[in-house]
Amino acid sequence: MSSTAGNSAVIAAGQRRYQHRDPLFWLAAACSAVIVAFILVPLVEMMTQPTVAALKETLMDRDVIRSIRLSMVTAGAAAVISLVFGTPLAYLLARHRFPGKKILESIIDLPIMIPHPVVGIALLSIAGRNHPIGRLMQAVGIEIMGTVTGLIAVLTFVGLPFYINTVKAGFAEISPRLEHVSRSLGASAGATFFRVTLPLAWRHMVVGGIMCMARAVSEFGAVVIVAYHPMVAPVMIYERFTAYGLQYSQPVAVWLILVCLVLFLLLRVFSLDRKAAA
Amino acid sequence: MIRIDQLSVRLPGFSLKSVDLCVEQGEFFCLLGPTGAGKTLILESVAGVVTIAGGRIVVSGRDVTGLPPERRGVGIVYQDCALFPHLSVAKNIDFGLRYYRRSTPAGRARCRDLIDRLGLASLLDRSVTTLSGGEKQRVALARALATVPTVLLLDEPLSSLDPCFREEIRDLFRSLHRETGLTVLMVTHDFTDAHSLAQRAAILNDGHVEQVGTVDEVFRRPLTAFVADFVGMKNVLPVRVENGILFIGDLALAMPGKNGHFRHAAIRPEHIHLQPAGSDAMPNGSFPGRITTISNQGFFAELTVEAAGVIFKTVMLTSSLLAMDLRQGKAVNLHIDPADIHLI
């Protein structure tokens, strides 16, 4: 037993020595260091520049709190809407083959690819009086321009692909045979979804929701077209920067980054748990 | 009873073509065929989990063609067991009870009997992810049988098991079938499963049925060259028969009483006997040849022998090979008993 353990240790040490001699290993390490520095240095610099007093003062600023809260609420609403409408679509894409599936998948990915101000302009173009949908929305009292509804619409638009793609991958991981067996045991399609598919896919749905929310929290380009006011956190940071300069925008940015960090921490926790469960 | 009439299923790159099959009440029936022949697709069509393009499926006298899977009364056990990984063993077995109104005291008692019969009592609280292959297969079987299905579909249930578990589960299937009299349709590509469990079998090839018959018939009297090759008749050779003489290429073998339109001769490798050239031990009708390859498989060796331009595949014990000092390139005499030549 101890001899086997000893051999393993020798082999592992040998592998490490070989790895250390491998020039590709050092190339990869150097590239990794550059990338990590590229991401971290500006962020750390920005987060360490504001004084504690400035951060405290920012936290007391009602406008800042209101904007961060609005960012979280609208992004959360976008995640919930994505969950309700995106889950059936993700299931359809994961489970069924049909003509035009690739086109549908490309359409879902469009919001990732197109410039985000264009998203705002596109949404506004259907929400105006010149468009039947816009006239219908106005008839039932839905306003897009400069409203929370408009914010939620635009954040759902940009966050939806992240939710659908994550949940689709989650459904695809579940063997269809589990659903077949469930049906053969007497469960209807609905009962099978709630008793088999959902318990196995909920973690992907939570991760998808967090990704959608994180994407929505960070959105600026589309938001600024549709609703400069009420002001979400990225717009407030932009306004502080243009009106007062770098020093006044940094504390708000720090608080937004901390909120985003919590979101990504949650994301990692759920991702790690999934791997542990597997 | 399962009756499949003119079943057609179309998938991208593959289709089932007008499959007709009938599994009698209480029969253990095997579907055999190479990978990709459509065996599992037939099973899943009976279970109702694939969309069929045409045909009719009758289970226990009831036309189930248009019924959803949950109303067919069909149990299915997959090769990978398809146990619900988020549920314990007990909850896996109980999964279907509520839908069949078997959550009654009598239903639960029957379920307990099944659990005891399958030796699962000590595993009930375990997670299914911690079970061995044999245990998983027993849980999958208990789950399928707990709802008292009218027919049981088995999709290669033994192929992923270790040999020791395979024999155990095979015995279990045999005794359960004997005790319950359940109609069973099993997909397999293992001849041992077919021989030891099934009364009848069908051979599938590329989405259509090549032959249906008793297991013995299918293995001894294949109707097509494909079935002959599939059931292990490694020598499937184009022939013609004239006046009791069988012509294989330039070889002529006496087949007294045989006449008619035969296109192939199928010969099992173990039915081709070899002796070193010049040996007196070979009977009349032997013909000369030369060993072209020898592939040692441990206890036995596979040989190819060329005789008058025809390549024969044969096997012999490695000990016999050594005793006769047979080597590649050596001249030999071949003998085939006419009774061992199956004409197609």
Side-chain angles (χ1 to χ4, degrees), chain A residues 97 175 177-189 191-192 195-197 199-200 277, chain B residues 11-12 44 49 68-70 74 76 78 80 82-86 95-96 98-100 143 155:
Chain A
R97 277 188 295 252
S175 168
R177 290 183 168 186
L178 296 179
E179 293 169 352
H180 295 170
V181 169
S182 167
R183 299 289 301 272
S184 78
L185 292 170
S188 64
T192 295
R195 290 190 71 194
V196 177
T197 315
L200 295 173
Chain B
L11 295 178
E44 292 188 332
V49 294
E70 60 270 24
V74 169
I76 188 163
Y78 279 111
D80 59 3
L83 297 176
F84 306 127
H86 58 299
F95 187 91
R98 67 166 78 168
Y99 304 111
Y100 287 88
R143 182 178 62 179
D155 184 14

Side-chain angles (χ1 to χ4, degrees), chain A residues 151-246:
Chain A
L151 282 173
I152 293 171
V154 85
L155 296 185
T156 305
F157 195 99
V158 295
L160 203 52
F162 293 87
Y163 179 82
I164 291 176
N165 289 333
T166 308
V167 178
K168 185 179 79 174
F171 285 138
E173 270 181 25
I174 300 166
S175 168
R177 290 183 168 186
L178 296 179
E179 293 169 352
H180 295 170
V181 169
S182 167
R183 299 289 301 272
S184 78
L185 292 170
S188 64
T192 295
F193 183 80
F194 285 106
R195 290 190 71 194
V196 177
T197 315
L198 191 61
L200 295 173
W202 72 268
R203 204 178 291 280
H204 280 93
M205 291 164 70
V206 172
V207 171
I210 293 170
M211 284 184 74
C212 172
M213 197 172 163
R215 177 67 195 84
V217 164
S218 62
E219 178 56 31
F220 172 77
V223 167
V224 85
I225 300 283
V226 171
Y228 196 89
H229 289 282
M231 208 174 268
V232 289
V235 178
M236 165 152 288
I237 293 165
Y238 175 72
E239 194 199 50
R240 294 266 164 117
F241 174 71
T242 50
Y244 308 107
L246 192 63

